[in-house]
Amino acid sequence: MDPKISEKAWNPELELQVLKKWEESNLYDFSLAEENYTIDTPPPYPSGRPWHIGAASHYSQIDMIARTARMAGKNVYFPIGIDRNGLPVELYTEKKHKIRMRDTERGKFLDLCRESLDDLEAEMIQIMKSLGISGGIKDHYRTDSEEYRALTQSTFIELWKKGQIYLATRPNNYDWVSGTTIADAEITYLDLPTKLVYMKFSVKDSDEKIIIASTRPELLCACKTIIVNEEDERYINLVGKKIVVPITNKEVEIKTHHSAQKEFGSGAVMVCSYGDQNDVALFRELKLEEVVAIGLDGRMTEAAGDYAGLKPKQARTKIIEDLKSNGFVEKIDEISHRTPVSERSKNPIEIIPMEEYYLKQMDSVEKMRDLGSEIVFHPEMHKQTLMNWLDSISIDWPISRRRYYGTEIPIWYCKSCSEPHVPEPGKYYRPWKEESPIKNCSKCGATDFVGEERTFDTWMDSSISPLFVTKYQKDEEFFKKTYPTAIRPQAKDIVRTWLYYTLLRCEYLTGKKPWSEAWIMGYGLDEKGMKMSKSKGNALDPIPVIERLGADTFRFWSASEVNQGYDFRCSEQKMDSTKKFLSKLWNVSRFLSSFPIIESGNPTATDKWILSELDKTITECKKGYEKYNFFIPAIAIREFTWNLFAANYIEMVKARAYGIGFSDEERDAAIFTLHKVLSTILKLLAPITPFITDHLWQTLYSDKSIHKERQAESESHEDLSQFTKEITEFNSKVWNEKKSKGLSLKDSISIDIPENLIEFKKDFESMHNLS
RNA sequence: GGGCUCAUAGUCCAGGUCGGUUAUGACGUCGCCCUUACACGGCGAAGAUCCGGGGUUCAAAUCCCCGUGGGCCCA
């Protein structure tokens, strides 16, 4: 009998043929039904080359969610988008063309950004395609399209009209190199070397001196109080006294506060407006009058006296000189200081009072907590990340940015009275270059307007992804049947941004939570467990890996390596060895393809045993698939296929399947069981490795795609798994015995079969040539 | 400083809720074997004080407490 499958190994190039078949038959096209299962797929951001291999793994797993849901009989809507707004592409473009955004004409700069985005996007789309992502790739959306931006703007206008947006001047995190405000969620910290200056302050009407250490002496002009810890005996007698600030000669009071650490510096801390977040909080708490020492241009203001006009770093050098020459310096330490920087540009942050638009969030924390607790998290532990974030929210969300590549804030201001006006929702507006659609000022009646130049925080765009994909405000029927969506898959690092902001915005706009489940994935680390980055040189490019090994190998690696919600290591060696399992599956199928398909059979004890183990595997897989945890089925299927089915069962029934020394009925039972097991394995694996399973399925079992099948269900066979251990141990015993006697595996040997296993006697005898 | 999380062979990982044989499997290593599905294979072997300390218990990888070390998040 010739096998239907002739090639000796699974060739990843076959994936292209399978892909073509899927495309030609529009296998994954979505059409609206009464009940739909909508996936709020994360639109990835093209920030540079190569695309992160962890992201490729992430999207593979999201695709497994879609396929699992389809095989559970759901009508799956799996849109694909690309997020194209924001700072990273601006930085990428500045670097690529060696230009600076503010020195470039706005329209020209936007064109260059768009060009960069197109290149990077093409690569990501190609990777998604070759990974077999079964979503809307060919009609993927973009967050910078007119349609998307129009929705961002009209949802803003909606919230504006509801009074959820306001303008306020507040201390804000300001990245003066990029020239923009950033939200708390976008700040990260770097340990940078800096000078800790110990300065002598004098106590008023006394000869006493007090030493105060600071890394920001240039902010002396903004110093409004000195704090010490209430348990610090060194200073307790000074509390309430006046202290003279060096250089400025202003007087401030010394107070106690628990945030002063006895161990840091001298234990006494000068509190300056906007030195850091803690200072801002203290100013609010102690109701101190603020001094603006640093301006929007990143330079010292008039308040800094002689230092006005200097950059903070220059001012620091100069003031240290002046302090020294006046005898105010006790000593200077070189220390490493945790400095707040912009997560994206890595520029140091200054806290500067600025006028920005805010979206109210403080009043809604409780509501968000309630909504959050209704959402099922996979795995549960990541719900805590959201809850922790909700606990730490202390100000409303600043949503305006002084950058170019983003959705424009749709506001025009009256030239004579400055009253802001929003246009009618539904269109895409670019106030920086368009005529005002408003003709008369509602306040003073004037007719001249000036457009807002700022753009939105990118999370304003991405936080409405579930509304955009469900055609909110565009197709009522579609929206009703797809929203709230079923599931939000995403990475764990953006819980406090994307997940939270989406919850907030969607609740404000629709009164409902955007999804019932959230599926959170960990980070892809390098093989040593370090974060991958281009600068460290440990980034792994997914394209050559996928080309060399094929998508299925990569996907199976992802499923079997990534425990749900935890960080995972990306080792090429591990990926390589995963390929062996697909070879095994291929060769098992190749062997079975030499036997006819038999629809039914009368299983013998051995057959019943493997069917019973198969049932256990189905149950195990189901446990994983229900939670969209692919680690569980991947491991279960590999164990079963390799260690029980191939190594033991197939060897036991090989002779029977060939009909050598067995009745036709016994032979057919073996062939029936072999196919039964293999076809079930293929279905169980289909969400994880869609290419090889579909290829084998269509070669052996059907002219329709396996991806139209329902997932296998356990058939409650009699449980014979108590024999498993004894069977495998008996087989091992015979192999060992032959080995130690120097016999070949086909040589005859005499070994007693244990009493318990007597039912399997005939298969054992033919397998081992027992005499 | 706070939170989350992890720690089991050279490497990765299962088991941990619900304590009880000889601690699961894979990769890698070594040895033997081309046995007609598969050398991208088969069989076998070596390899683990289950991070440290204490407690509960007849019994702890598992439960509790205190540490130590990593990763992430927030101040």
Side-chain angles (χ1 to χ4, degrees), chain A residues 491-504:
Chain A
K492 73 173 188 188
D493 54 337
I494 52 175
V495 168
R496 62 185 173 136
T497 50
W498 192 39
L499 189 135
Y500 165 69
Y501 287 141
T502 308
L503 201 59
L504 182 77

Side-chain angles (χ1 to χ4, degrees), chain A residues 566-614:
Chain A
Y566 292 90
D567 294 348
F568 54 98
R569 300 184 183 202
C570 302
S571 150
E572 239 184 311
Q573 190 213 343
K574 273 277 172 71
M575 296 177 198
D576 282 354
S577 47
T578 305
K579 200 176 170 199
K580 291 184 183 174
F581 174 66
L582 297 195
S583 280
K584 194 73 196 175
L585 181 69
W586 179 265
N587 277 299
V588 166
S589 308
R590 187 159 91 99
F591 174 57
L592 294 211
S593 76
S594 58
F595 299 105
I597 308 292
I598 291 175
E599 298 296 339
S600 64
N602 188 12
T604 70
T606 313
D607 305 331
K608 284 182 186 158
W609 163 68
I610 198 70
L611 291 172
S612 138
E613 278 293 340
L614 178 68

Side-chain angles (χ1 to χ4, degrees), chain A residues 748-763:
Chain A
S748 172
I749 193 167
S750 171
I751 294 179
D752 288 336
I753 297 168
E755 261 322 293
N756 261 347
L757 299 181
I758 215 72
E759 284 185 86
F760 308 98
K761 184 165 181 265
K762 226 175 150 185
D763 286 326

Side-chain angles (χ1 to χ4, degrees), chain A residues 176 194-197 199 213-223 270 272-276 279 293-294 300 311-313 315-316 319-320 323 337 339-340 348-351:
Chain A
W176 59 268
T194 187
K195 289 185 168 66
L196 182 62
V197 185
M199 294 170 286
S214 171
T215 56
R216 306 289 308 264
E218 75 276 17
L219 294 178
L220 274 174
C221 64
C223 174
M270 68 174 203
C272 309
S273 37
Y274 316 137
D276 60 26
D279 287 349
I294 299 172
M300 305 303 292
K311 288 184 177 172
K313 224 174 159 177
R316 194 174 313 154
I319 204 166
I320 290 174
L323 285 163
H337 187 242
T339 311
I349 297 305
E350 290 292 354
I351 296 169

Side-chain angles (χ1 to χ4, degrees), chain A residues 526-660:
Chain A
D526 79 357
E527 55 190 344
K528 295 189 186 73
M530 305 296 285
K531 207 167 177 171
M532 279 194 239
S533 70
K534 274 159 241 171
S535 52
K536 266 191 253 169
N538 61 350
L540 195 54
D541 187 345
I543 294 177
V545 173
I546 296 165
E547 272 175 6
R548 187 163 56 81
L549 298 171
D552 273 351
T553 297
F554 181 78
R555 293 172 60 116
F556 192 84
W557 163 79
S558 173
S560 63
E561 189 73 11
V562 181
N563 205 346
Q564 192 175 37
Y566 292 90
D567 294 348
F568 54 98
R569 300 184 183 202
C570 302
S571 150
E572 239 184 311
Q573 190 213 343
K574 273 277 172 71
M575 296 177 198
D576 282 354
S577 47
T578 305
K579 200 176 170 199
K580 291 184 183 174
F581 174 66
L582 297 195
S583 280
K584 194 73 196 175
L585 181 69
W586 179 265
N587 277 299
V588 166
S589 308
R590 187 159 91 99
F591 174 57
L592 294 211
S593 76
S594 58
F595 299 105
I597 308 292
I598 291 175
E599 298 296 339
S600 64
N602 188 12
T604 70
T606 313
D607 305 331
K608 284 182 186 158
W609 163 68
I610 198 70
L611 291 172
S612 138
E613 278 293 340
L614 178 68
D615 252 13
K616 273 178 71 182
T617 307
I618 294 171
T619 308
E620 183 72 7
C621 291
K622 195 173 175 180
K623 262 176 26 195
Y625 281 135
E626 274 169 357
K627 294 184 281 187
Y628 299 111
N629 180 340
F630 309 107
F631 185 80
I632 294 171
I635 299 291
I637 297 164
R638 185 177 62 192
E639 292 288 318
F640 171 80
T641 306
W642 211 322
N643 297 339
L644 295 182
F645 186 52
N648 287 280
Y649 178 76
I650 292 182
E651 295 301 328
M652 284 169 82
V653 303
K654 204 182 263 180
R656 180 146 62 91
Y658 282 129
I660 306 166

Side-chain angles (χ1 to χ4, degrees), chain A residues 660-710:
Chain A
I660 306 166
F662 287 87
S663 70
D664 286 359
E665 193 188 2
E666 287 169 319
R667 182 197 61 202
D668 288 355
I671 297 175
F672 163 75
T673 308
L674 285 167
H675 282 304
K676 172 91 192 162
V677 174
L678 177 62
S679 58
T680 306
I681 290 172
L682 292 179
K683 282 196 278 192
L684 290 174
L685 265 178
I688 298 173
T689 55
F691 293 96
I692 190 170
T693 51
D694 203 17
H695 178 84
L696 293 171
W697 181 262
Q698 295 200 42
T699 309
L700 293 173
Y701 300 121
S702 174
D703 50 6
K704 286 206 291 286
S705 170
I706 195 168
H707 303 301
K708 289 285 178 197
E709 294 289 317
R710 286 292 186 99

